[in-house]
Amino acid sequence: MKKETFKYSKTPYAELHLHLGGAILPRILWHKFQLDHKSDNDSVTLPIGPYQSFNEFQAFFDSPKNNLEEYLEMHKLVEPIQTYKRLDYFINRLMRGAFEFENLSYMEIRHCPYGRTDKNKSQNQRIDQMREIVLEIDRAMKYYSNVNEENYYPIIMKQIICLHSQYHDDVNEALLSLAKEFFTAGIVCGLDIAGGEQPYKDNMKQIIRWYREAKDFGLNTTAHIFETEHTPIGMLDLIPYLDRIGHGIQLPLKYENEMKILNKEKICLEICPTTYFKYNTFTGYEDPRLHRIFKVCDDRNVDIVIGTDNSGMHGVRLQSEFENLLIHEVISYDKLDQYRHNAFKHAFGLSKLQKKMYTKDPMINIDLPNYSLQIKI
């Protein structure tokens, strides 16, 4: 077995809240689509959705959205582009950017494989195709982190499978079964639910049942809840079945009793500031509500993990999130390491020993499948 040593000049980071659909720069999405659909005269024969040019495509991502539902339309556009045959390309570009420009050592990518299956197939056929999507992402992750390959990126990457609030129950049942199967295989590290909060109200009991089953099985769990004021109050009953909460920004603002539960059960919040500016939940880093979230969590001893959510769509990398929070005095410099360490502490795909080494030891030695990664902190 070949051993290599990598030393970092900066402290490493971990990204826990990143959607595959939002992780890729719009330029890379457009470029890949062009490569696949150029005609003999070099014109793009098929548009992406209604967009005939890249400038139109980019403008769609840059334009402000009025609410979360409008914001999520971006994923509906991107997911069909990330088909099985294109996943290798996108995973390569994602890992290259994460290693070269973000100094990431660990990353969890969340996605719903159903959205990347062939829409021309029946529901049952698409459910069968979900397995291929998960396996292809896993293959690409392992290939591009392999020290024996010419272009490799020493990052530990894991998948989180997303249930979807707008999918039929049969699809979500299949997604849960897939997550359980691949969790046992070491390919998937956790379960999430996304797709918008308003549909939760019609299916709360079923969602809670799915999560109870996931926790009984041993799956790590997170969920997009209380991102906006539209999460049904009944979703508070989901909290006991969670290890982390995706966003959850309304909890420190409005729900004192639930903050006590988060403290007792060591449930952290995954906070992605730029997202809340994109659909007008907050006005910007100066918004006092954003400052209050960090203060309340600090006072209640509830961990915050800082993420990007959709770094490619936003054009904001993880270090920029930290830097902007520092510049606008949302967090203080003496708390910087604490927030960075929180990500390793709450990572679903790291062992207890690995977490300890990332957050405590002056020198990290991480044994990966094909090499040993040594990082100086």
Side-chain angles (χ1 to χ4, degrees), residues 11-12 21 39-40 52 64 153 189 192 216 224 271 290 295 372:
T11 51
S39 62
D40 292 338
Q52 300 289 340
Y153 312 104
C189 69
D192 185 20
D216 289 345
H224 285 68
I271 301 297
L290 180 62
K295 185 179 187 307
S372 176

Side-chain angles (χ1 to χ4, degrees), residues 290-307:
L290 180 62
H291 291 249
R292 177 165 172 74
I293 288 169
F294 280 82
K295 185 179 187 307
V296 170
C297 287
D298 191 38
D299 291 344
R300 303 296 187 273
N301 196 27
V302 172
D303 284 348
I304 283 177
V305 170
I306 297 169

Side-chain angles (χ1 to χ4, degrees), residues 165-213:
S165 64
Q166 299 181 43
Y167 284 168
H168 191 277
D169 283 357
D170 289 347
V171 176
N172 282 322
E173 290 276 3
L175 285 164
L176 175 57
S177 296
L178 197 68
K180 289 163 62 178
E181 176 186 347
F182 284 124
F183 177 74
T184 302
I187 293 173
V188 167
C189 69
L191 183 76
D192 185 20
I193 186 168
E197 299 175 320
Q198 295 190 22
Y200 290 163
K201 65 179 181 295
D202 297 323
N203 212 20
M204 284 188 293
K205 290 183 179 180
Q206 182 67 281
I207 293 170
I208 292 171
R209 186 187 69 77
W210 288 328
Y211 269 80
R212 184 185 300 116
E213 180 180 338

Side-chain angles (χ1 to χ4, degrees), residues 111-117 129-131 133-134 161-162 175 178:
H111 65 96
C112 182
Y114 188 80
R116 290 161 177 84
T117 57
Q129 288 181 340
M130 295 193 307
R131 173 186 301 276
I133 300 296
V134 175
I161 296 295
C162 289
L175 285 164
L178 197 68

